[in-house]
Amino acid sequence: MPAILLDGKQIASEIRQETAAEVQNLTAAGIRPGLAVVLVGNNPASEIYVRGKVKSCEELGIYSEKITPPATITTGELLALVNELNARDEIDGILVQLPLPTQVDAKKILLAVDPAKDVDGFHPMNVGFLSTQRPGLISCTPAGIMEILRRSHVDISGQEAVVVGRSDIVGKPTAMLLINANATVTVCHSKTRDLPGVCRRADILVAAIGRAGMITPDFVKPGATVIDVGTNNVTDPAEFQRLFVGNAKREETFRTKGATLVGDVHPAVAEVAGKMTPVPGGVGPLTIAMLMSNTVKAAKMRRGGRN
Ligand code: GUN
């Protein structure tokens, strides 16, 4: 029996509705949550992401501001901008879209964001709060993965979880959240010996590597829950064949667009897994939903108890 697909769009829509209700309540109490998004330069992918974030704010009633400094901005100038946003009371969340131009010291910028407004959860203080189970702001994609698991009633406590990928943005915080939820967690990376064997131990397998279709059925224990964080644009016909041979719908997309979006998990894994997230329509939609939810959380934590 093929895997049950976990519908990220549906879950994200539920979270957005819940968040919109909270925005209404807060706004009625005189606290309208506000998000500032800083988009440096003209990276086309970043422009698309930022457009989605601003649109989502509008739909939920969150105040938003898009700031677009030129690609030539210096670290000092960007620091000054972040400090201005830190000082403004009506701004609850500050998101500096990555990647930043090479002349900008990104680590310095992320460290300058007030941890109370750090809706990306990238500040070392929030990373520390997460690892020590204190209240704080949690990185959006890992938080979204946990929402998918919880709302799909996947058991976590006592289960074997394997996270493939050790990035600061996804792999490490996801591993931490799974540990906090009482899973037994293994984190794998490019130097891991016998990666398929380690992955086969997983009741919950999270793939966050950034390589199209790398997780093939031989990596997956029958019945496991597989979470695919990858978003890889496949344009090479041979690669397309390896992934989607015989899939009429994908062949049509590939013929007309010359590209198709693929996760880190090979589609044939659907024949082995018990539950899995599709790409597109799995983890992706949760990221913006959790950003909205983090903005409301930041507003409540910083301004909620003030009246
Ligand atoms: N660029 C790609 N993903 C992200 C993200 O989650 N946050 C930020 N700030 N930049 C990104």
Side-chain angles (χ1 to χ4, degrees), residues 46 49 53 95-99 110 120 122 139-141 169 287:
S46 292
Y49 292 142
K53 291 168 184 179
L95 183 143
V96 182
Q97 186 67 26
L98 302 176
L110 297 182
D120 257 331
F122 292 167
S139 176
C140 300
T141 300
I169 292 178
T287 301

Side-chain angles (χ1 to χ4, degrees), residues 41-272:
N42 309 92
N43 180 321
S46 292
E47 282 177 353
I48 293 171
Y49 292 142
V50 167
R51 207 175 305 143
K53 291 168 184 179
V54 170
K55 180 164 166 265
S56 192
C57 284
E58 282 165 10
E59 286 165 2
L60 270 60
I62 293 173
Y63 169 75
S64 74
E65 211 168 281
K66 185 170 93 170
I67 301 144
T68 56
T72 52
I73 195 166
T74 64
T75 302
E77 288 163 346
L78 193 49
L79 278 177
L81 172 58
V82 167
N83 284 328
E84 254 174 60
L85 295 170
N86 282 341
R88 284 175 55 194
D89 195 47
E90 76 280 17
I91 297 297
D92 297 291
I94 302 170
L95 183 143
V96 182
Q97 186 67 26
L98 302 176
L100 288 168
T102 48
Q103 83 277 7
V104 174
D105 185 340
K107 286 214 157 131
K108 225 178 199 173
I109 301 297
L110 297 182
L111 199 58
V113 174
D114 179 348
K117 298 189 178 189
D118 170 38
V119 284
D120 257 331
F122 292 167
H123 192 288
M125 188 171 286
N126 280 315
V127 176
F129 285 157
L130 170 62
S131 84
T132 52
Q133 301 204 62
R134 292 176 163 92
L137 294 163
I138 298 170
S139 176
C140 300
T141 300
I145 291 170
M146 298 308 285
E147 289 293 335
I148 293 180
L149 292 173
R150 294 216 173 91
R151 292 175 191 244
S152 307
H153 311 289
V154 174
D155 280 340
I156 304 174
S157 182
Q159 301 295 296
E160 289 274 349
V162 174
V163 179
V164 190
R166 56 175 156 181
S167 70
D168 292 339
I169 292 178
V170 180
K172 284 186 210 165
T174 301
M176 199 58 76
L177 285 164
L178 288 164
I179 292 171
N180 291 349
N182 301 316
T184 302
V185 180
T186 306
V187 181
C188 301
H189 44 76
S190 53
K191 300 286 194 295
T192 297
R193 268 187 281 125
D194 185 22
L195 183 63
V198 177
C199 289
R200 271 196 305 274
R201 296 208 299 255
D203 301 303
I204 299 168
L205 179 61
V206 180
I209 321 136
R211 284 182 56 186
M214 199 187 100
I215 304 295
T216 44
D218 56 311
F219 285 59
V220 179
K221 175 159 91 175
T225 297
V226 180
I227 304 292
D228 189 354
V229 189
T231 49
N232 310 288
N233 205 30
V234 168
T235 53
D236 173 28
E239 182 73 342
F240 177 82
Q241 282 298 316
R242 181 181 79 83
L243 294 159
F244 291 113
V245 65
N247 182 328
K249 208 170 150 199
R250 288 282 189 162
E251 280 170 358
E252 174 66 19
T253 311
F254 196 69
R255 237 194 331 272
T256 53
K257 294 194 175 159
T260 192
L261 197 65
V262 186
D264 293 344
V265 177
H266 194 291
V269 165
E271 302 305 318
V272 184

